[in-house]
Amino acid sequence: MPALAAIAACGLLVILASGNGQAQKPPASPLGSISPRTGLLLNDDVVVRLIQASSGDRAHDYVSRLALWSREQVSEGFTRAAEWVVEKAKEFGLERVAIERFPSDGKIAYFGEVMPPQWKVRKGELWLTSPFLMKITTYDDLPMSLAEGSTSADVEAELVDIGAGRGDSDYAAGVKGKIVLTSSRPFDIFERAVNKEGAAGILSSWSVPDFDYLNRRPGDFPDQVGWPRIPREAVEGAGHFAFAISARRAQDLRAMMGQGKAPRVHAGVDAALVPGHLEVVSGVIPGAAYPQEEVIVTAHLDHYKPGANDNASGSAAILEMARTMRELIESGKLQPPLRTIRFMWVPEYRGTYAWLSAHLNDPVRRIANLNFDMVGEDVVKTNSVLSLTYTSDSNPSFLNAVIESIVDFANTYNNERYPPQLDLYIGSITGSRNRLSVRMAPYSTGTDHELFNNLRIGASSFGAWPDNFYHSSEDTPDKVDPTQLHRAVVIGLAGITTVAYADSEQAPDIARLSLIYGRRRIAASEFSAVRSLLAASKEGFSDVDHLAGNMIAHVYRRERAAVGSAAMFARTAQARSDIEKTIALLSGDEAASRKKLDEAAALRAGELKVVRAPRSLTEAEKRAARLFPARNKGKELHNLGYISRILAKDSTAQVPKIQAALDEITRLYQAQGDSELRLMGFSDAAAFYADGQRSILEIRDAVAAEYAPMPIEALELYFRAFEKAGVMTIAEKRERK
Ligand SMILES: [Zn+2]
């Protein structure tokens, strides 16, 4: 109510001011053509306002607040956090603020993803009872020390060491009825230790997820406690539990065993799995001209306590973006956005799946998604690098250039030098003087932008990786740097403002920005294509030659589409024709790229004494060229995980064969040094190229350029499995000319 009154009063003031002819005209568009000072499409005075009106110190306060709740998905702690966000969002003047609730009970699925039941914990305690009384850990002290999914139990038993708990010798002494101490992730050994060997429960010192082993090793941080869970299907009804402790604490317990003291422990758990709800908070700044077009800003609100960087930081950052925009609009320094800006705080993935299942077909055009996940890292403490992702190559977008221009700008004024001019420096009162060094990263998955990207909405995610404290008890607010939070807020604001205020007039500029940044990306691909040719061996030459040509074709196709996507802002024939002219400039570029490639290939072929030969298609490739997969309605987001689950018992689907092919490529791909985050998205990449326009052969070529080549036979099986599962339809057409 107070916020509404304030808006009304402000509106009145603006009308009165313009009525009597005094200054205070409604501000003009915040956008212009490319600024010589910042390289942004935003006007310089607007950039200064976005920096000076936003605060990393405030955002850090929100982080500290959120870090007090255990915000597991579908939990009471999450509800508390969601209610607090609602209160702040209303206070800051967002409209239509609400919590949407979606049933989540271990059975219901959205887009094929089964949602978890609520894990209701009243008590979780683990005590050493012999040789002396000592509290080992409790849920109240550290909620994540009780594995998610644990259910009621009251057990007093001997504690025995099973080491990794993976081999027969680990169980030689017998563990029936005992509580086992292990260094493994409880989830991984639950089946063996509990179901097969009859252990009463698990005590684990695991803390580092295996996909993070490239960055930190178990034992690097001996006081970290991990974030464990146990398989849900294993705990239905029964009293099963696991606790997590630090490596140091595990050593203490092992030392007792070494002294022949046979420690005994008492586990008291009062917890159950019950039907619950996923809760999604959203609120908007309505669009003044195009309210049915939306820019979606997301952060996942869930995770363990404290979860300061992951992801109180992203949740706080978008809250501060909302506050800043509302303040600038309310004070007349920024006109209301042309299109609606929707802020969403979600349970990661699941909340977004659920929300999209209800809203996918709303009469709304979704223009872009900006996602914020782990954005406040003190990069010195956490050993992190901040990055923003490009959209996937199956979803080229103008957003890449908009974001990359902001990255260039932010690095220029916030890096290793003391800033040349302070109005564009982004630093908070209580924050560090660490450099920013944010970079653009190739598309990777692992958080909510993936789903928007898969729906072909331009989506970029801002986040830090790696992080020494990721998914552990040490992800605390002191690892969050107000200065970096402030930078994340400004980067987000700059992106949101560009996209939410762009109109026909700016569409040609967005296309031009896409052209110049697209050229930069093309140049990088051209470099690696030429390098691979010059490094080719005699035996490998033909493959390398083919892949290099394929790469160039792929990146030009991608960048033409990215430039063309600026047309979504063009409402006039003039703007559309300007964009077409910009796209046409790439044709000359492509011919020049091909020439460079040909020269390098001819040079190398001469040295190796091989003859360059055009490729002829195999029978399987010819067939694949006639097959055009497309997604069925309602199956827009179903992925390979879903396919594998529902076809697990259908031997004709040959899922293991598909999986083996993917694993093989993943290993090759890994050997090339690509990041663990990239690898996560690989197995679904092909599936999201399927649009009815590209043949399986063309998808094979696109995936080869974006990731790594996949055998055509395995790829056809892959798409046949999607068809069999009812997710896709494969049309057989004549070969494309
Ligand atoms: Zn996260």
Side-chain angles (χ1 to χ4, degrees):
M1 190 93 102
L4 281 178
I7 299 163
C10 170
L12 197 67
L13 216 87
V14 171
I15 292 161
L16 284 177
S18 50
N20 64 18
Q22 297 297 311
Q24 190 105 50
K25 274 193 299 179
S29 170
L31 297 174
S33 45
I34 301 173
S35 156
R37 184 170 177 218
T38 67
L40 301 176
L41 293 174
L42 294 165
N43 294 328
D44 293 356
D45 62 327
V46 173
V47 178
V48 171
R49 283 200 195 289
L50 294 177
I51 294 170
Q52 306 303 332
S54 59
S55 161
D57 303 290
R58 290 190 197 222
H60 195 273
D61 284 346
Y62 314 151
V63 169
S64 301
R65 186 70 199 84
L66 289 169
L68 295 177
W69 285 295
S70 174
R71 312 178 304 278
E72 304 274 357
Q73 299 187 346
V74 202
S75 74
E76 287 161 6
F78 186 94
T79 305
R80 297 289 95 76
E83 285 167 350
W84 181 82
V85 170
V86 163
E87 185 192 313
K88 299 308 279 183
K90 285 183 178 167
E91 181 188 321
F92 297 156
L94 288 190
E95 297 181 32
R96 305 195 324 248
V97 177
I99 300 181
E100 278 182 79
R101 305 173 82 227
F102 302 93
S104 185
D105 60 1
K107 295 181 190 82
I108 193 163
Y110 303 105
F111 292 108
E113 297 291 314
V114 180
M115 301 294 149
Q118 179 178 344
W119 179 48
K120 219 170 172 156
V121 184
R122 282 167 293 265
K123 191 183 106 173
E125 297 190 355
L126 188 70
W127 289 78
L128 183 73
T129 53
S130 171
F132 48 85
L133 185 72
M134 182 186 82
K135 183 171 73 179
I136 297 175
T137 189
T138 76
Y139 180 81
D140 287 340
D141 291 346
L142 180 69
M144 69 199 290
S145 68
L146 178 64
E148 189 190 327
S150 296
T151 50
S152 293
D154 187 357
V155 182
E156 213 267 344
E158 187 185 339
L159 182 70
V160 293
D161 186 8
I162 57 164
R166 291 169 191 277
D168 291 344
S169 61
D170 293 336
Y171 297 95
V175 301
K176 199 167 171 54
K178 296 173 183 170
I179 294 176
V180 294
L181 176 64
T182 179
S183 55
S184 287
R185 190 169 80 126
F187 190 95
D188 296 339
I189 61 150
F190 190 90
E191 178 58 34
R192 176 79 196 256
V194 176
N195 288 348
K196 188 157 170 242
E197 306 284 347
I202 297 172
L203 179 55
S204 163
S205 61
W206 165 89
S207 76
V208 184
D210 53 6
F211 57 83
D212 198 13
Y213 279 10
L214 296 174
N215 308 306
R216 65 180 158 147
R217 290 279 174 182
D220 283 357
F221 299 90
D223 294 308
Q224 274 184 5
V225 177
W227 183 32
R229 62 194 174 92
I230 54 178
R232 286 173 198 280
E233 49 287 4
V235 296
E236 201 85 45
H240 288 310
F241 62 88
F243 282 91
I245 51 172
S246 67
R248 185 189 302 276
R249 190 55 116 187
Q251 262 190 40
D252 293 340
L253 294 166
R254 284 200 183 94
M256 284 175 210
M257 295 174 193
Q259 292 156 10
K261 285 180 181 154
R264 293 184 69 80
V265 293
H266 178 209
V269 181
D270 182 359
L273 294 163
V274 297
H277 289 87
L278 286 158
E279 294 166 311
V280 173
V281 181
S282 80
V284 303
I285 300 176
Y290 315 119
Q292 298 308 103
E293 294 186 5
E294 287 192 356
V295 180
I296 301 183
V297 185
T298 48
H300 74 80
L301 181 61
D302 66 296
H303 269 14
Y304 53 90
K305 173 190 175 183
N309 270 314
D310 193 8
N311 186 32
S313 68
S315 301
I318 71 169
L319 194 56
E320 180 59 9
M321 289 172 211
R323 189 198 67 77
T324 306
M325 288 220 85
R326 283 286 310 134
E327 183 189 294
L328 290 173
I329 293 167
E330 202 165 312
S331 61
K333 292 176 182 129
L334 198 62
Q335 59 164 293
L338 302 186
R339 45 188 68 79
T340 299
I341 305 168
R342 177 178 295 279
F343 295 90
M344 292 176 63
W345 292 263
V346 299
E348 191 174 27
Y349 276 103
R350 291 170 176 146
T352 307
Y353 273 118
W355 189 86
L356 285 168
S357 76
H359 293 283
L360 187 62
N361 299 313
D362 286 358
V364 169
R365 186 171 189 204
R366 301 187 174 98
I367 300 287
N369 163 243
L370 294 179
N371 183 62
F372 297 83
D373 187 2
M374 302 171 66
V375 300
E377 264 78 352
D378 179 318
V379 293
V380 173
K381 289 182 185 167
T382 58
N383 190 30
S384 290
V385 178
L386 291 158
S387 56
L388 280 132
T389 56
Y390 289 114
T391 64
S392 73
D393 286 5
S394 56
N395 182 35
S397 172
F398 67 87
L399 188 66
N400 290 327
V402 168
I403 294 297
E404 192 162 1
S405 68
I406 297 167
V407 160
D408 281 350
F409 158 72
N411 281 333
T412 303
Y413 292 91
N414 297 277
N415 234 340
E416 71 278 14
R417 290 180 303 157
Y418 200 72
Q421 190 165 321
L422 289 169
D423 57 347
L424 297 180
Y425 174 68
I426 312 163
S428 285
I429 302 167
T430 56
S432 77
R433 273 282 299 129
N434 291 342
R435 72 186 71 157
L436 173 61
S437 298
V438 59
R439 63 179 181 187
M440 291 301 296
Y443 178 68
S444 63
T445 62
T447 182
D448 296 276
H449 70 296
E450 178 184 354
L451 304 189
F452 293 97
N453 193 76
N454 289 344
L455 293 170
R456 298 184 193 281
I457 297 162
S460 176
S461 192
F462 184 18
W465 189 258
D467 179 327
N468 283 339
F469 313 106
Y470 169 77
H471 284 192
S472 86
S473 56
E474 294 183 332
D475 178 8
T476 45
D478 59 298
K479 315 298 191 315
V480 182
D481 176 359
T483 288
Q484 298 294 20
L485 267 181
H486 191 181
R487 291 164 177 171
V489 169
V490 172
I491 288 170
L493 283 169
I496 295 165
T497 309
T498 308
V499 180
Y501 289 79
D503 212 344
S504 274
E505 208 183 319
Q506 287 82 32
D509 290 317
I510 292 176
R512 278 176 219 162
L513 200 70
S514 298
L515 173 75
I516 60 174
Y517 277 100
R519 278 178 170 160
R520 189 199 261 185
R521 289 188 78 188
I522 288 169
S525 296
E526 194 184 283
F527 165 83
S528 54
V530 170
R531 187 181 59 181
S532 68
L533 281 167
L534 296 181
S537 67
K538 189 164 184 150
E539 310 71 52
F541 181 81
S542 167
D543 280 348
V544 168
D545 191 13
H546 174 70
L547 285 173
N550 178 55
M551 167 76 81
I552 292 304
H554 174 79
V555 294
Y556 275 99
R557 179 175 180 166
R558 181 188 69 206
E559 296 311 325
R560 274 192 192 93
V563 176
S565 74
M568 70 172 70
F569 301 105
R571 287 176 154 84
T572 62
Q574 181 60 48
R576 281 190 290 272
S577 129
D578 274 10
I579 293 170
E580 285 305 320
K581 283 181 198 147
T582 307
I583 297 173
L585 293 176
L586 283 169
S587 299
D589 288 25
E590 185 166 5
S593 288
R594 290 239 160 255
K595 187 157 176 280
K596 283 186 237 174
L597 226 60
D598 282 340
E599 285 164 2
L603 183 72
R604 189 63 176 162
E607 282 167 6
L608 297 171
K609 299 188 173 39
V610 294
V611 182
R612 285 187 83 197
R615 284 234 151 176
S616 54
L617 295 181
T618 64
E619 282 311 308
E621 285 171 331
K622 282 181 193 158
R623 190 172 62 247
R626 295 191 298 270
L627 302 175
F628 290 76
R631 284 185 175 264
N632 297 334
K633 196 148 177 55
K635 309 283 181 177
E636 291 83 355
L637 291 171
H638 291 63
N639 58 21
L640 187 66
Y642 167 79
I643 304 301
S644 308
R645 269 198 311 282
I646 75 152
L647 297 179
K649 296 202 175 84
D650 180 347
S651 62
T652 64
Q654 305 190 60
V655 173
K657 207 164 165 182
I658 299 168
Q659 200 55 57
L662 288 168
D663 289 349
E664 174 64 21
I665 302 157
T666 304
R667 270 191 297 278
L668 287 172
Y669 191 54
Q670 212 161 19
Q672 295 169 18
D674 267 295
S675 89
E676 58 283 15
L677 297 186
R678 286 274 289 162
L679 293 167
M680 278 181 193
F682 170 66
S683 64
D684 279 323
F688 289 101
Y689 271 101
D691 61 355
Q693 307 296 313
R694 290 193 198 236
S695 69
I696 292 178
L697 184 68
E698 287 170 314
I699 294 174
R700 194 273 311 265
D701 290 345
V703 173
E706 187 179 5
Y707 292 91
M710 186 168 173
I712 195 72
E713 293 81 3
L715 193 61
E716 188 181 338
L717 277 181
Y718 173 100
F719 281 110
R720 291 293 180 201
F722 275 89
E723 186 182 45
K724 210 174 253 276
V727 171
M728 290 186 193
T729 302
I730 301 177
E732 180 146 12
K733 299 183 191 171
R734 268 207 212 123
E735 199 172 337
R736 182 194 292 264
K737 281 280 161 266

